[in-house]
């Protein structure tokens, strides 16, 4: 034992955990307010939104594991007494500890998914002759004594074992879920399972169980194969592509959440002030966000990111490790995205406030001498909060795609940090090779599409539940009389 590690609190770590605490507090508030609880109940009655929420929860779990960082303590030098503890320069996370086999299994260069030989041929001496052959990998399939005959049966056996473990996990988690639903509805477990099986529940729990089963049946074989093999292959430097993809989830989550939250203060304050006071305040705010909207976002963000880069390059002494430097760049990138992307929400809140300020209860409060600040806080803000929530959820997926674009053009996150955009950017040259190195691009594309699709489906459910116009449209569609033929 070398002693306790040194825990490192990065800027984005603190932000993620604070947002999680705020999310828990919001959940408690939802439980105490029947109207909010009813609205969120409508969200989870939508089958796609319920299924996508499980995928997002899985990605959130990966993000939280990757948001606890530490540095391993080095062994004390021999012959030195009472020396100050020294730590590794590399900053690890709990996710790195969980995926230690993938981190340590670094090959020399490219290798195909589930391969036991390298992708690039080398000149080796075989039976006394120099031949161009693909060398055996150092870690992938290293346990195989006769790869030519044992490789496929070994993959089938390990994949089947992982499938069985995944099925067992799906059954256990499904049973716990059914028990929780039965306890919440105060009904026997058997009766609850029968209603779920016959699809007679208000919330489509059968969809949740099916989604959970699919997740377990995918994760099980992947976990069984990713240790002895490189499930998604390796990149140019020999790093495992599955490991990079999982690490990129945190980067996407950080940008999607922090950049969205960064837009709220300016958008909410300026939008409500412009719509409530009108006059010169409205004209000034309109002028500001109109000018901001006329500047191409990529150019504006690129200029801000380059200024951040210059600051970081001129102050290297502010950071003990490279991880702290790249994390601060990511944090400032989120701030830049927030400060340059508030115009759309501000315009929407201004229009809604212009309508709300003319309603009777707002006019009555003003006639009774209630201050403008109190009116905006107590009467205007609660009635535009649903718009904030809808836009926040919708912008989450858009910002994930935006990060990929920025990293692709070279003004995104630090190159030392894993991200979907960085993986796609590095795959540009790989896709032009012959033969094509396709697995890095395919992994980044698949993970990013899954995350964005889940976020979009969940956002659709939130919009339909919280948007009053969508609720009116649904009620009219349901109450429309049918024609009798």
């Amino acid at each position: 034992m070398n002693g306790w590690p040194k825990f490192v609190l990065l800027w984005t770590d603190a932000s993620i955990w604070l947002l999680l605490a705020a999310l828990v507090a919001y959940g408690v508030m939802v439980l105490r307010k029947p109207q909010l609880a009813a609205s969120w109940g409508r969200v989870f009655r939508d089958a796609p939104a319920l299924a996508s929420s499980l995928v997002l929860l899985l990605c959130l779990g990966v993000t939280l594991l990757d948001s606890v960082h530490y540095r391993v303590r080095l062994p004390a030098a021999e012959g030195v007494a009472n020396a100050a503890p020294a730590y590794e320069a590399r900053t690890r996370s709990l996710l790195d500890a969980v995926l230690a086999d993938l981190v340590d299994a670094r090959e020399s260069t490219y290798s195909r998914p589930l391969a036991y030989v390298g992708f690039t041929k080398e000149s080796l001496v075989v039976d006394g002759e120099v031949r161009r052959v693909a060398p055996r990998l150092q870690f992938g399939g290293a346990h195989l004594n006769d790869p030519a005959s044992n490789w496929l049966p070994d993959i089938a056996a390990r994949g089947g074992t992982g499938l069985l473990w995944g099925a067992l996990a799906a059954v256990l988690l499904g049973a716990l879920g059914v028990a929780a639903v039965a306890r919440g509805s105060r009904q026997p477990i058997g009766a609850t399972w029968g209603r779920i099986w016959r699809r007679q529940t208000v919330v489509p729990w059968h969809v949740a169980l099916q989604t959970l089963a699919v997740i377990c049946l995918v994760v099980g074989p992947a976990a069984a194969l990713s240790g002895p093999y490189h499930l998604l292959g390796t990149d140019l430097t020999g790093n495992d592509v599955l490991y990079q993809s999982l690490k990129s989830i945190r980067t996407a989550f950080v940008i999607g959440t922090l950049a969205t939250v960064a837009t709220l203060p300016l958008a909410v304050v300026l939008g409500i002030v412009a719509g409530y006071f009108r006059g010169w305040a409205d004209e000034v705010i309109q002028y500001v966000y109109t000018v901001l909207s006329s500047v191409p976002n990529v150019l504006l963000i690129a200029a801000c990111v380059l200024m951040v880069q210059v600051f970081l390059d001129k102050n290297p002494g502010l950071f003990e490790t490279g991880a702290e430097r790249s994390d601060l760049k990511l944090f400032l990138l989120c701030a830049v995205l927030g400060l340059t992307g508030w115009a759309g929400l501000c315009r929407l809140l201004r229009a809604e406030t212009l309508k709300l300020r003319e309603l009777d209860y707002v006019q009555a409060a003003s006639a009774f001498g209630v201050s403008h600040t109190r009116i905006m806080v107590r009467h205007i803000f609660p009635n535009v909060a649903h718009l904030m929530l809808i836009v926040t959820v919708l912008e989450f997926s858009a910002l994930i795609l935006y990060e990929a674009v920025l990293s692709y053009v070279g003004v995104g996150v630090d190159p030392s940090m894993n991200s979907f955009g960085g993986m796609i950017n590095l795959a540009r040259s790989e896709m032009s090779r012959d033969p094509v190195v396709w697995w890095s691009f395919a992994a980044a594309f698949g993970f990013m599409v899954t995350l964005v699709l889940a976020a979009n489906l969940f956002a659709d459910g939130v919009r339909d539940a919280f948007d009053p116009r969508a609720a009116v449209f649904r009620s009219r569609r349901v109450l429309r009389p049918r024609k009798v033929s």
Side-chain angles (χ1 to χ4, degrees):
M1 290 291 292
N2 296 330
W4 288 97
K6 178 182 179 181
F7 287 94
V8 179
L9 184 63
L10 303 178
W11 284 89
T12 55
D13 292 344
S15 303
I16 287 294
W17 289 105
L18 286 175
L19 287 177
L20 180 64
L23 183 62
V24 172
Y26 178 74
V28 173
M29 184 183 70
V30 168
L31 294 177
R32 294 180 178 179
K33 293 189 176 183
Q35 186 176 1
L36 271 178
S39 297
W40 279 106
R42 289 194 296 270
V43 173
F44 293 107
R45 291 189 194 108
D46 183 38
L50 180 61
S52 61
S53 65
L54 294 179
V55 178
L56 292 177
L57 281 177
L58 178 63
C59 295
L60 178 60
V62 174
T63 301
L64 295 179
L65 280 177
D66 205 17
S67 296
V68 179
H69 289 89
Y70 63 93
R71 294 167 62 190
V72 177
R73 184 172 179 174
L74 297 174
E78 297 182 1
V80 179
N82 300 324
Y87 299 91
E88 281 187 354
R90 176 188 171 190
T91 303
R92 306 169 185 256
S93 69
L94 290 182
L95 184 64
D96 295 331
V98 174
L99 304 176
D101 292 340
L102 301 183
V103 177
D104 298 334
R106 183 173 180 177
E107 308 292 350
S108 59
T109 184
Y110 295 115
S111 66
R112 291 185 177 90
L114 296 174
Y116 60 88
V117 295
F119 179 74
T120 305
K121 293 184 178 181
E122 298 178 0
S123 298
L124 299 177
V125 178
V126 181
D127 296 332
E129 298 180 0
V130 178
R131 299 179 182 177
R132 295 285 294 175
V133 295
R136 282 288 301 272
L137 295 178
Q138 184 179 358
F139 299 98
H143 61 285
L144 299 175
N145 295 324
D146 185 9
S149 59
N150 296 338
W151 174 69
L152 191 58
D154 184 68
I155 287 180
R158 292 179 182 274
T161 303
L163 198 64
L164 290 177
W165 280 109
L168 179 60
V171 171
L172 292 177
L173 293 176
L176 292 175
V178 172
V181 173
R183 184 177 180 180
S185 60
R186 297 180 180 179
Q187 292 183 354
I189 296 179
T192 302
W193 168 248
R195 294 176 60 239
I196 293 175
W197 179 261
R198 293 188 297 270
R199 303 183 181 183
Q200 296 176 348
T201 55
V202 177
V203 177
W205 293 116
H206 63 281
V207 175
L209 295 178
Q210 293 169 3
T211 305
L212 186 63
V214 171
I215 292 175
C216 292
L217 294 178
V218 170
V219 173
L225 291 170
S226 60
Y229 298 94
H230 298 289
L231 182 63
L232 299 179
T234 57
D235 64 357
L236 176 62
T237 57
N239 292 310
D240 191 89
V241 173
L242 176 61
Y243 169 75
Q244 297 180 42
S245 301
L246 292 175
K247 294 282 286 186
S248 300
I249 292 177
R250 179 184 182 272
T251 305
F253 246 87
V254 167
I255 289 182
T257 53
L258 297 190
T260 304
V261 171
T263 63
L264 295 181
L266 283 174
V268 173
V269 172
L270 296 181
I272 293 178
V273 167
Y276 182 79
F277 288 106
R278 298 188 297 185
W280 65 269
D282 185 21
E283 293 179 358
V284 170
I285 294 173
Q286 282 192 79
Y287 178 79
V288 171
Y289 69 62
T290 302
V291 171
L292 184 63
S293 301
S294 64
V295 180
N297 280 344
V298 174
L299 296 180
L300 184 61
I301 294 172
C304 296
V305 170
L306 290 176
M307 289 189 291
V308 169
Q309 186 66 43
V310 170
F311 169 78
L312 296 178
D313 291 340
K314 289 186 176 181
N315 298 275
L318 298 177
F319 317 103
E320 293 186 8
T321 62
E324 296 179 8
R325 179 183 182 278
S326 59
D327 183 80
L328 181 58
K329 182 179 180 181
L330 175 62
F331 182 82
L332 294 177
L333 175 63
C334 296
V336 168
L337 290 173
L339 294 176
T340 57
W342 57 270
L345 179 57
C346 180
R347 185 183 292 110
L348 184 63
L349 295 180
R350 170 188 172 273
E352 189 70 13
T353 305
L354 285 172
K355 180 180 68 176
L356 292 174
R357 74 181 304 277
E358 302 298 333
L359 297 182
D360 293 339
Y361 66 90
V362 177
Q363 295 295 326
S366 179
F368 278 106
V370 180
S371 65
H372 297 306
T373 303
R374 189 174 181 84
I375 290 175
M376 288 187 288
V377 172
R378 295 293 299 273
H379 299 293
I380 302 295
F381 177 77
N383 288 283
V384 299
H386 69 282
L387 295 177
M388 295 165 43
L389 180 62
I390 294 169
V391 172
T392 298
V393 178
L394 289 173
E395 285 294 318
F396 176 83
S397 57
L399 287 167
I400 294 176
L401 296 175
Y402 211 70
E403 178 274 327
V405 174
L406 292 175
S407 297
Y408 183 78
V409 299
V411 292
V413 300
D414 194 83
S416 63
M417 179 171 287
N418 293 291
S419 69
F420 295 129
M423 293 178 66
I424 295 174
N425 184 30
L426 293 176
R428 284 190 299 179
S429 59
E430 298 173 352
M431 296 297 290
S432 61
R433 286 175 54 113
D434 187 20
V436 175
V437 180
W438 52 267
W439 45 90
S440 293
F441 177 81
F445 181 80
F447 273 82
M448 185 172 63
V449 167
T450 301
L451 180 57
V452 171
L453 180 60
N456 284 338
L457 292 175
F458 187 74
D460 290 342
V462 171
R463 181 190 58 199
D464 294 341
F466 282 86
D467 191 353
R469 291 172 296 182
V472 171
F473 175 76
R474 283 198 307 272
S475 63
R476 289 178 178 176
R477 184 176 58 184
V478 171
L479 297 176
R480 183 180 300 167
R482 295 183 178 179
K483 295 182 180 181
V484 179
S485 57

